[in-house]
Amino acid sequence: MKNIKDVEKLDGVKVLVRLDFNVPVQNGIIVDDFRIQKSLPLIKYLSDKGAKMILVSHIETKDNPTLEPIAKYLNKLGVECVFEKNYKKALNTENKITLLENLRDYEGEKKNDKDFAKELASLADIYVNEAFPVSHREHASVCAITEFIPSYAGIQFQEEVKHLSSAFNPEHPFLFILGGAKFETKLPLIEKFISIADKVFIGGALANNFFKERGDRIGKSMVSLENFNLSRFSASNKILLPIDSLIKDDAVMDCGMKTVDMLRVEIEKAKYILWNGPLGAYETGYRASTLQLAEILSEATLRGSRTIVGGGDTIATIAELKLENKFTFVSTGGGAMLDFLAKGTLPGIEALEKGL
Ligand code: 3PG
């Protein structure tokens, strides 16, 4: 992958920057600006070097998915950018920074359409991928575009690859903490990290599948219905499960405090900790164990352990506690983080490696 910082001359150069501004917006208000904050170092770098920027992103909200509030927010943060609905108008723009409307308004984006990618490429001299969280998608602005324009990895993008790759060759003891739901998306991670990590703690709804497999009564708890043949892990002494649970209406809603204490002991022993996903039903308000885990991990970071964390609800927890800077690295990725950890690469990385 070519590094944007290796481009010697950027003065007057038009740069198409693919960002991930897919952030929660309610009534035009940005609810969580973590990804926006993480885009600022690259925007500042390019601006200081005299480059002109065309910023592009997707956004998915239930109604009116527009990037207009993001443009307003960027201006509030001191990034003077002009919002442009019609991407063709950006062709001859004299603006220093332009933010184009939602890429997913165009059919070609999700289809990884070459003609659309070529049109996007024609807007600029070079392309930078600073959108790690969407780089697990084979979309035109992530993949096909690299065939038509010199392509570089952005600053945060490279940080993501560097820090997440450390999990493939970690310090030991290595504790992997995996929570959340959707067993089918997380199983490849258990399969991969059972051999790399020293302990794998499974929390959240994922644990219910293990409880069910060993014959525990799980009542109405959330569980993935497929048979994942989890007995193959039962011989491993690496898997740790919650030892107590908070039950409501016959369903497991959160880990109990004995489990948090057990995790605290494991965290104190570990030199490297990777955490993705909440330990309870976070979105319905069962947050106690997840909030405690975030605090315990931030303390471990202070003591010198390497802590790598990520995932949508995990970042929300960290933001709620204002702990964003208290870990070795906080990934901006959700699905992209999981895919990268499972496969060691992503379509967006491969596109940058193969591209112009
Ligand atoms: C994310 O939020 O994980 C990325 O922006 C990708 O979004 P998507 O799942 O809608 O492709």
Side-chain angles (χ1 to χ4, degrees):
M1 273 187 321
K2 288 184 289 174
N3 181 348
I4 185 59
K5 289 205 170 168
D6 290 340
V7 180
E8 277 174 21
K9 187 188 164 302
L10 283 165
D11 194 19
V13 172
K14 255 186 163 183
V15 187
L16 184 79
V17 187
R18 180 32 161 130
L19 293 152
D20 191 328
F21 288 148
N22 186 24
V23 300
V25 180
Q26 271 167 19
N27 304 322
I29 309 288
I30 315 290
V31 180
D32 171 9
D33 73 347
F34 182 63
R35 285 180 177 172
I36 300 175
Q37 292 290 345
K38 291 291 170 185
S39 73
L40 299 180
L42 176 67
I43 294 174
K44 181 169 182 332
Y45 177 82
L46 293 172
S47 177
D48 290 350
K49 295 272 176 192
K52 279 193 182 148
M53 278 166 262
I54 297 174
L55 312 180
V56 289
S57 175
H58 70 287
I59 185 159
E60 290 280 354
T61 50
K62 278 192 198 100
D63 42 72
N64 191 21
T66 171
L67 288 166
E68 200 163 6
I70 314 292
K72 286 194 186 133
Y73 195 76
L74 283 170
N75 278 288
K76 260 201 227 156
L77 294 176
V79 176
E80 284 176 32
C81 75
V82 175
F83 179 63
E84 180 55 74
K85 282 197 168 149
N86 181 350
Y87 79 100
K88 288 193 177 157
K89 285 207 190 140
L91 196 54
N92 298 311
T93 179
E94 285 308 313
N95 301 328
K96 201 145 190 291
I97 310 180
T98 307
L99 172 63
L100 298 187
E101 184 53 297
N102 192 359
L103 283 166
R104 292 190 184 169
D105 285 353
Y106 301 94
E107 245 184 52
E109 169 64 358
K110 278 186 161 183
K111 290 184 176 156
N112 200 23
D113 180 75
K114 292 204 183 200
D115 292 335
F116 179 59
K118 207 170 170 181
E119 281 192 60
L120 277 180
S122 71
L123 300 177
D125 304 309
I126 64 172
Y127 160 82
V128 183
N129 185 343
E130 189 66 319
F132 182 85
V134 73
S135 291
H136 58 319
R137 304 279 184 223
E138 276 185 56
H139 291 176
S141 67
V142 175
C143 293
I145 191 157
T146 63
E147 295 176 33
F148 303 105
I149 184 170
S151 300
Y152 299 86
I155 297 171
Q156 175 68 19
F157 190 101
Q158 292 177 78
E159 286 291 294
E160 294 274 358
V161 173
K162 181 179 94 183
H163 284 285
L164 296 181
S165 298
S166 69
F168 306 137
N169 196 8
E171 295 93 346
H172 290 274
F174 169 18
L175 170 65
F176 182 28
I177 302 171
L178 190 60
K182 292 194 205 137
F183 207 91
E184 48 289 359
T185 62
K186 308 266 172 105
L187 185 62
L189 291 178
I190 302 172
E191 280 163 341
K192 176 148 189 164
F193 284 98
I194 194 87
S195 58
I196 305 175
D198 298 283
K199 295 275 180 219
V200 178
F201 174 83
I202 313 281
L206 302 179
N208 298 334
N209 273 75
F210 278 93
F211 294 149
K212 191 176 156 207
E213 180 81 27
R214 76 179 179 197
D216 292 9
R217 191 185 167 277
I218 58 162
K220 293 183 189 151
S221 305
M222 185 194 278
V223 72
S224 295
L225 293 175
E226 227 173 290
N227 176 9
F228 297 105
N229 183 22
L230 296 182
S231 54
R232 67 197 142 122
F233 298 118
S234 55
S236 168
N237 57 6
K238 289 186 176 183
I239 299 265
L240 297 172
L241 294 172
I243 50 173
D244 63 339
S245 304
L246 180 71
I247 313 277
K248 178 95 199 301
D249 297 333
D250 202 24
V252 173
M253 301 311 285
D254 199 359
C255 291
M257 287 305 127
K258 281 189 192 151
T259 303
V260 173
D261 287 342
M262 175 187 84
L263 267 176
R264 190 192 306 273
V265 172
E266 292 299 329
I267 289 167
E268 278 169 9
K269 286 192 268 183
K271 287 214 172 76
Y272 184 103
I273 304 136
L274 176 64
W275 172 35
N276 178 290
L279 302 188
Y282 190 88
E283 64 293 345
T284 47
Y286 292 89
R287 303 172 168 197
S289 67
T290 306
L291 291 170
Q292 290 224 18
L293 175 60
E295 296 274 9
I296 297 168
L297 281 180
S298 71
E299 287 157 17
T301 318
L302 273 182
R303 288 195 303 270
S305 300
R306 195 171 346 184
T307 51
I308 311 286
V309 306
D313 291 331
T314 312
I315 293 171
T317 309
I318 288 165
E320 190 175 330
L321 296 171
K322 304 216 179 323
L323 292 175
E324 290 98 329
N325 300 318
K326 305 285 184 196
F327 302 92
T328 309
F329 184 70
V330 181
S331 176
T332 54
M337 176 188 183
L338 299 178
D339 278 10
F340 181 80
L341 289 172
K343 297 174 194 148
T345 189
L346 294 175
I349 295 173
E350 284 169 14
L352 285 175
E353 279 164 355
K354 278 193 264 157
L356 288 183

PDB file of all heavy atoms in Angstrom, residues 22-46:
ATOM      1  N   ASN A  22     -20.299   7.759   8.072  1.00  0.00           N
ATOM      2  CA  ASN A  22     -21.521   7.042   8.425  1.00  0.00           C
ATOM      3  C   ASN A  22     -21.637   7.039   9.950  1.00  0.00           C
ATOM      4  O   ASN A  22     -21.261   6.090  10.623  1.00  0.00           O
ATOM      5  CB  ASN A  22     -21.442   5.611   7.881  1.00  0.00           C
ATOM      6  CG  ASN A  22     -22.729   4.852   8.073  1.00  0.00           C
ATOM      7  OD1 ASN A  22     -23.800   5.455   8.188  1.00  0.00           O
ATOM      8  ND2 ASN A  22     -22.642   3.532   8.146  1.00  0.00           N
ATOM      9  N   VAL A  23     -22.116   8.166  10.473  1.00  0.00           N
ATOM     10  CA  VAL A  23     -22.189   8.352  11.928  1.00  0.00           C
ATOM     11  C   VAL A  23     -23.657   8.555  12.320  1.00  0.00           C
ATOM     12  O   VAL A  23     -24.457   8.983  11.487  1.00  0.00           O
ATOM     13  CB  VAL A  23     -21.340   9.566  12.388  1.00  0.00           C
ATOM     14  CG1 VAL A  23     -19.881   9.380  12.020  1.00  0.00           C
ATOM     15  CG2 VAL A  23     -21.861  10.879  11.808  1.00  0.00           C
ATOM     16  N   PRO A  24     -24.005   8.250  13.575  1.00  0.00           N
ATOM     17  CA  PRO A  24     -25.410   8.443  13.964  1.00  0.00           C
ATOM     18  C   PRO A  24     -25.795   9.922  14.005  1.00  0.00           C
ATOM     19  O   PRO A  24     -25.095  10.732  14.620  1.00  0.00           O
ATOM     20  CB  PRO A  24     -25.494   7.807  15.357  1.00  0.00           C
ATOM     21  CG  PRO A  24     -24.104   7.619  15.811  1.00  0.00           C
ATOM     22  CD  PRO A  24     -23.200   7.646  14.639  1.00  0.00           C
ATOM     23  N   VAL A  25     -26.901  10.244  13.315  1.00  0.00           N
ATOM     24  CA  VAL A  25     -27.398  11.621  13.266  1.00  0.00           C
ATOM     25  C   VAL A  25     -28.869  11.589  13.689  1.00  0.00           C
ATOM     26  O   VAL A  25     -29.632  10.773  13.172  1.00  0.00           O
ATOM     27  CB  VAL A  25     -27.302  12.185  11.824  1.00  0.00           C
ATOM     28  CG1 VAL A  25     -27.831  13.617  11.772  1.00  0.00           C
ATOM     29  CG2 VAL A  25     -25.860  12.131  11.295  1.00  0.00           C
ATOM     30  N   GLN A  26     -29.252  12.442  14.637  1.00  0.00           N
ATOM     31  CA  GLN A  26     -30.675  12.512  15.045  1.00  0.00           C
ATOM     32  C   GLN A  26     -31.142  13.952  14.942  1.00  0.00           C
ATOM     33  O   GLN A  26     -30.540  14.837  15.553  1.00  0.00           O
ATOM     34  CB  GLN A  26     -30.832  12.029  16.489  1.00  0.00           C
ATOM     35  CG  GLN A  26     -31.074  10.528  16.575  1.00  0.00           C
ATOM     36  CD  GLN A  26     -30.908  10.016  17.993  1.00  0.00           C
ATOM     37  OE1 GLN A  26     -30.957  10.770  18.950  1.00  0.00           O
ATOM     38  NE2 GLN A  26     -30.690   8.712  18.103  1.00  0.00           N
ATOM     39  N   ASN A  27     -32.183  14.172  14.124  1.00  0.00           N
ATOM     40  CA  ASN A  27     -32.695  15.528  13.872  1.00  0.00           C
ATOM     41  C   ASN A  27     -31.578  16.490  13.481  1.00  0.00           C
ATOM     42  O   ASN A  27     -31.494  17.608  13.992  1.00  0.00           O
ATOM     43  CB  ASN A  27     -33.423  16.083  15.110  1.00  0.00           C
ATOM     44  CG  ASN A  27     -34.537  15.151  15.544  1.00  0.00           C
ATOM     45  OD1 ASN A  27     -35.215  14.573  14.689  1.00  0.00           O
ATOM     46  ND2 ASN A  27     -34.703  14.984  16.839  1.00  0.00           N
ATOM     47  N   GLY A  28     -30.700  16.033  12.628  1.00  0.00           N
ATOM     48  CA  GLY A  28     -29.619  16.895  12.145  1.00  0.00           C
ATOM     49  C   GLY A  28     -28.458  17.059  13.112  1.00  0.00           C
ATOM     50  O   GLY A  28     -27.479  17.741  12.819  1.00  0.00           O
ATOM     51  N   ILE A  29     -28.538  16.412  14.291  1.00  0.00           N
ATOM     52  CA  ILE A  29     -27.464  16.538  15.297  1.00  0.00           C
ATOM     53  C   ILE A  29     -26.597  15.277  15.263  1.00  0.00           C
ATOM     54  O   ILE A  29     -27.108  14.161  15.271  1.00  0.00           O
ATOM     55  CB  ILE A  29     -28.052  16.687  16.736  1.00  0.00           C
ATOM     56  CG1 ILE A  29     -29.099  17.791  16.788  1.00  0.00           C
ATOM     57  CG2 ILE A  29     -26.960  16.864  17.784  1.00  0.00           C
ATOM     58  CD1 ILE A  29     -28.590  19.189  16.692  1.00  0.00           C
ATOM     59  N   ILE A  30     -25.282  15.473  15.239  1.00  0.00           N
ATOM     60  CA  ILE A  30     -24.357  14.331  15.247  1.00  0.00           C
ATOM     61  C   ILE A  30     -24.319  13.766  16.667  1.00  0.00           C
ATOM     62  O   ILE A  30     -23.952  14.461  17.612  1.00  0.00           O
ATOM     63  CB  ILE A  30     -22.916  14.783  14.875  1.00  0.00           C
ATOM     64  CG1 ILE A  30     -22.903  15.722  13.664  1.00  0.00           C
ATOM     65  CG2 ILE A  30     -21.965  13.605  14.731  1.00  0.00           C
ATOM     66  CD1 ILE A  30     -23.229  15.139  12.359  1.00  0.00           C
ATOM     67  N   VAL A  31     -24.683  12.482  16.795  1.00  0.00           N
ATOM     68  CA  VAL A  31     -24.757  11.871  18.123  1.00  0.00           C
ATOM     69  C   VAL A  31     -23.377  11.375  18.577  1.00  0.00           C
ATOM     70  O   VAL A  31     -23.050  11.397  19.754  1.00  0.00           O
ATOM     71  CB  VAL A  31     -25.769  10.704  18.113  1.00  0.00           C
ATOM     72  CG1 VAL A  31     -25.874  10.047  19.470  1.00  0.00           C
ATOM     73  CG2 VAL A  31     -27.137  11.199  17.658  1.00  0.00           C
ATOM     74  N   ASP A  32     -22.579  10.913  17.627  1.00  0.00           N
ATOM     75  CA  ASP A  32     -21.247  10.403  17.979  1.00  0.00           C
ATOM     76  C   ASP A  32     -20.278  10.829  16.868  1.00  0.00           C
ATOM     77  O   ASP A  32     -20.437  10.422  15.709  1.00  0.00           O
ATOM     78  CB  ASP A  32     -21.336   8.863  18.103  1.00  0.00           C
ATOM     79  CG  ASP A  32     -19.982   8.207  18.255  1.00  0.00           C
ATOM     80  OD1 ASP A  32     -18.983   8.933  18.447  1.00  0.00           O
ATOM     81  OD2 ASP A  32     -19.914   6.959  18.167  1.00  0.00           O
ATOM     82  N   ASP A  33     -19.297  11.653  17.227  1.00  0.00           N
ATOM     83  CA  ASP A  33     -18.425  12.224  16.175  1.00  0.00           C
ATOM     84  C   ASP A  33     -17.062  11.538  16.086  1.00  0.00           C
ATOM     85  O   ASP A  33     -16.135  12.089  15.489  1.00  0.00           O
ATOM     86  CB  ASP A  33     -18.265  13.743  16.394  1.00  0.00           C
ATOM     87  CG  ASP A  33     -17.362  14.057  17.584  1.00  0.00           C
ATOM     88  OD1 ASP A  33     -17.058  13.140  18.373  1.00  0.00           O
ATOM     89  OD2 ASP A  33     -16.949  15.220  17.704  1.00  0.00           O
ATOM     90  N   PHE A  34     -16.935  10.356  16.698  1.00  0.00           N
ATOM     91  CA  PHE A  34     -15.627   9.697  16.754  1.00  0.00           C
ATOM     92  C   PHE A  34     -14.978   9.561  15.362  1.00  0.00           C
ATOM     93  O   PHE A  34     -13.825   9.921  15.158  1.00  0.00           O
ATOM     94  CB  PHE A  34     -15.779   8.321  17.425  1.00  0.00           C
ATOM     95  CG  PHE A  34     -14.494   7.569  17.587  1.00  0.00           C
ATOM     96  CD1 PHE A  34     -13.475   8.063  18.379  1.00  0.00           C
ATOM     97  CD2 PHE A  34     -14.289   6.359  16.929  1.00  0.00           C
ATOM     98  CE1 PHE A  34     -12.280   7.363  18.526  1.00  0.00           C
ATOM     99  CE2 PHE A  34     -13.104   5.649  17.073  1.00  0.00           C
ATOM    100  CZ  PHE A  34     -12.102   6.158  17.878  1.00  0.00           C
ATOM    101  N   ARG A  35     -15.755   9.080  14.394  1.00  0.00           N
ATOM    102  CA  ARG A  35     -15.179   8.900  13.049  1.00  0.00           C
ATOM    103  C   ARG A  35     -14.815  10.242  12.412  1.00  0.00           C
ATOM    104  O   ARG A  35     -13.838  10.328  11.662  1.00  0.00           O
ATOM    105  CB  ARG A  35     -16.170   8.142  12.150  1.00  0.00           C
ATOM    106  CG  ARG A  35     -16.225   6.665  12.483  1.00  0.00           C
ATOM    107  CD  ARG A  35     -17.214   5.953  11.579  1.00  0.00           C
ATOM    108  NE  ARG A  35     -17.209   4.523  11.853  1.00  0.00           N
ATOM    109  CZ  ARG A  35     -18.069   3.673  11.340  1.00  0.00           C
ATOM    110  NH1 ARG A  35     -19.034   4.101  10.539  1.00  0.00           N
ATOM    111  NH2 ARG A  35     -17.992   2.385  11.619  1.00  0.00           N
ATOM    112  N   ILE A  36     -15.613  11.265  12.706  1.00  0.00           N
ATOM    113  CA  ILE A  36     -15.316  12.590  12.135  1.00  0.00           C
ATOM    114  C   ILE A  36     -14.005  13.109  12.733  1.00  0.00           C
ATOM    115  O   ILE A  36     -13.126  13.589  12.013  1.00  0.00           O
ATOM    116  CB  ILE A  36     -16.477  13.581  12.391  1.00  0.00           C
ATOM    117  CG1 ILE A  36     -17.764  13.039  11.753  1.00  0.00           C
ATOM    118  CG2 ILE A  36     -16.152  14.968  11.851  1.00  0.00           C
ATOM    119  CD1 ILE A  36     -19.007  13.862  12.026  1.00  0.00           C
ATOM    120  N   GLN A  37     -13.877  12.962  14.046  1.00  0.00           N
ATOM    121  CA  GLN A  37     -12.640  13.409  14.711  1.00  0.00           C
ATOM    122  C   GLN A  37     -11.423  12.705  14.111  1.00  0.00           C
ATOM    123  O   GLN A  37     -10.383  13.325  13.902  1.00  0.00           O
ATOM    124  CB  GLN A  37     -12.694  13.111  16.223  1.00  0.00           C
ATOM    125  CG  GLN A  37     -13.707  13.938  16.982  1.00  0.00           C
ATOM    126  CD  GLN A  37     -13.311  15.421  17.096  1.00  0.00           C
ATOM    127  OE1 GLN A  37     -12.172  15.803  16.850  1.00  0.00           O
ATOM    128  NE2 GLN A  37     -14.277  16.261  17.442  1.00  0.00           N
ATOM    129  N   LYS A  38     -11.583  11.417  13.820  1.00  0.00           N
ATOM    130  CA  LYS A  38     -10.452  10.640  13.306  1.00  0.00           C
ATOM    131  C   LYS A  38     -10.106  10.991  11.856  1.00  0.00           C
ATOM    132  O   LYS A  38      -9.080  10.557  11.332  1.00  0.00           O
ATOM    133  CB  LYS A  38     -10.735   9.128  13.437  1.00  0.00           C
ATOM    134  CG  LYS A  38     -10.741   8.648  14.868  1.00  0.00           C
ATOM    135  CD  LYS A  38      -9.334   8.699  15.441  1.00  0.00           C
ATOM    136  CE  LYS A  38      -9.318   8.461  16.928  1.00  0.00           C
ATOM    137  NZ  LYS A  38      -7.992   8.630  17.513  1.00  0.00           N
ATOM    138  N   SER A  39     -11.004  11.743  11.182  1.00  0.00           N
ATOM    139  CA  SER A  39     -10.695  12.149   9.799  1.00  0.00           C
ATOM    140  C   SER A  39      -9.902  13.460   9.781  1.00  0.00           C
ATOM    141  O   SER A  39      -9.322  13.822   8.765  1.00  0.00           O
ATOM    142  CB  SER A  39     -12.006  12.342   9.017  1.00  0.00           C
ATOM    143  OG  SER A  39     -12.662  13.530   9.445  1.00  0.00           O
ATOM    144  N   LEU A  40      -9.873  14.152  10.916  1.00  0.00           N
ATOM    145  CA  LEU A  40      -9.283  15.493  10.921  1.00  0.00           C
ATOM    146  C   LEU A  40      -7.763  15.510  10.668  1.00  0.00           C
ATOM    147  O   LEU A  40      -7.291  16.392   9.935  1.00  0.00           O
ATOM    148  CB  LEU A  40      -9.612  16.228  12.229  1.00  0.00           C
ATOM    149  CG  LEU A  40     -11.119  16.451  12.476  1.00  0.00           C
ATOM    150  CD1 LEU A  40     -11.345  17.185  13.790  1.00  0.00           C
ATOM    151  CD2 LEU A  40     -11.774  17.218  11.329  1.00  0.00           C
ATOM    152  N   PRO A  41      -6.982  14.593  11.236  1.00  0.00           N
ATOM    153  CA  PRO A  41      -5.530  14.672  10.963  1.00  0.00           C
ATOM    154  C   PRO A  41      -5.200  14.629   9.462  1.00  0.00           C
ATOM    155  O   PRO A  41      -4.346  15.397   8.995  1.00  0.00           O
ATOM    156  CB  PRO A  41      -4.959  13.453  11.696  1.00  0.00           C
ATOM    157  CG  PRO A  41      -5.923  13.225  12.817  1.00  0.00           C
ATOM    158  CD  PRO A  41      -7.276  13.562  12.257  1.00  0.00           C
ATOM    159  N   LEU A  42      -5.882  13.788   8.697  1.00  0.00           N
ATOM    160  CA  LEU A  42      -5.583  13.727   7.251  1.00  0.00           C
ATOM    161  C   LEU A  42      -6.020  15.023   6.557  1.00  0.00           C
ATOM    162  O   LEU A  42      -5.291  15.566   5.715  1.00  0.00           O
ATOM    163  CB  LEU A  42      -6.281  12.531   6.596  1.00  0.00           C
ATOM    164  CG  LEU A  42      -6.080  12.462   5.069  1.00  0.00           C
ATOM    165  CD1 LEU A  42      -4.612  12.170   4.733  1.00  0.00           C
ATOM    166  CD2 LEU A  42      -6.979  11.412   4.429  1.00  0.00           C
ATOM    167  N   ILE A  43      -7.204  15.521   6.919  1.00  0.00           N
ATOM    168  CA  ILE A  43      -7.687  16.761   6.286  1.00  0.00           C
ATOM    169  C   ILE A  43      -6.708  17.895   6.590  1.00  0.00           C
ATOM    170  O   ILE A  43      -6.330  18.681   5.715  1.00  0.00           O
ATOM    171  CB  ILE A  43      -9.125  17.089   6.770  1.00  0.00           C
ATOM    172  CG1 ILE A  43     -10.099  16.009   6.278  1.00  0.00           C
ATOM    173  CG2 ILE A  43      -9.568  18.465   6.292  1.00  0.00           C
ATOM    174  CD1 ILE A  43     -11.527  16.133   6.793  1.00  0.00           C
ATOM    175  N   LYS A  44      -6.236  17.951   7.810  1.00  0.00           N
ATOM    176  CA  LYS A  44      -5.290  19.000   8.197  1.00  0.00           C
ATOM    177  C   LYS A  44      -3.966  18.820   7.433  1.00  0.00           C
ATOM    178  O   LYS A  44      -3.386  19.782   6.927  1.00  0.00           O
ATOM    179  CB  LYS A  44      -5.053  18.956   9.710  1.00  0.00           C
ATOM    180  CG  LYS A  44      -4.106  20.049  10.173  1.00  0.00           C
ATOM    181  CD  LYS A  44      -4.048  20.194  11.668  1.00  0.00           C
ATOM    182  CE  LYS A  44      -3.127  21.317  12.148  1.00  0.00           C
ATOM    183  NZ  LYS A  44      -1.998  21.696  11.329  1.00  0.00           N
ATOM    184  N   TYR A  45      -3.512  17.587   7.354  1.00  0.00           N
ATOM    185  CA  TYR A  45      -2.245  17.306   6.670  1.00  0.00           C
ATOM    186  C   TYR A  45      -2.316  17.777   5.216  1.00  0.00           C
ATOM    187  O   TYR A  45      -1.437  18.489   4.727  1.00  0.00           O
ATOM    188  CB  TYR A  45      -1.946  15.796   6.748  1.00  0.00           C
ATOM    189  CG  TYR A  45      -0.686  15.396   6.016  1.00  0.00           C
ATOM    190  CD1 TYR A  45       0.555  15.533   6.619  1.00  0.00           C
ATOM    191  CD2 TYR A  45      -0.734  14.888   4.707  1.00  0.00           C
ATOM    192  CE1 TYR A  45       1.717  15.183   5.942  1.00  0.00           C
ATOM    193  CE2 TYR A  45       0.417  14.530   4.037  1.00  0.00           C
ATOM    194  CZ  TYR A  45       1.648  14.682   4.656  1.00  0.00           C
ATOM    195  OH  TYR A  45       2.783  14.343   3.980  1.00  0.00           O
ATOM    196  N   LEU A  46      -3.386  17.379   4.536  1.00  0.00           N
ATOM    197  CA  LEU A  46      -3.521  17.739   3.115  1.00  0.00           C
ATOM    198  C   LEU A  46      -3.684  19.253   2.960  1.00  0.00           C
ATOM    199  O   LEU A  46      -3.122  19.854   2.030  1.00  0.00           O
ATOM    200  CB  LEU A  46      -4.711  17.003   2.494  1.00  0.00           C
ATOM    201  CG  LEU A  46      -4.558  15.481   2.380  1.00  0.00           C
ATOM    202  CD1 LEU A  46      -5.871  14.844   1.940  1.00  0.00           C
ATOM    203  CD2 LEU A  46      -3.442  15.114   1.399  1.00  0.00           C
TER     204      LEU A  46
END
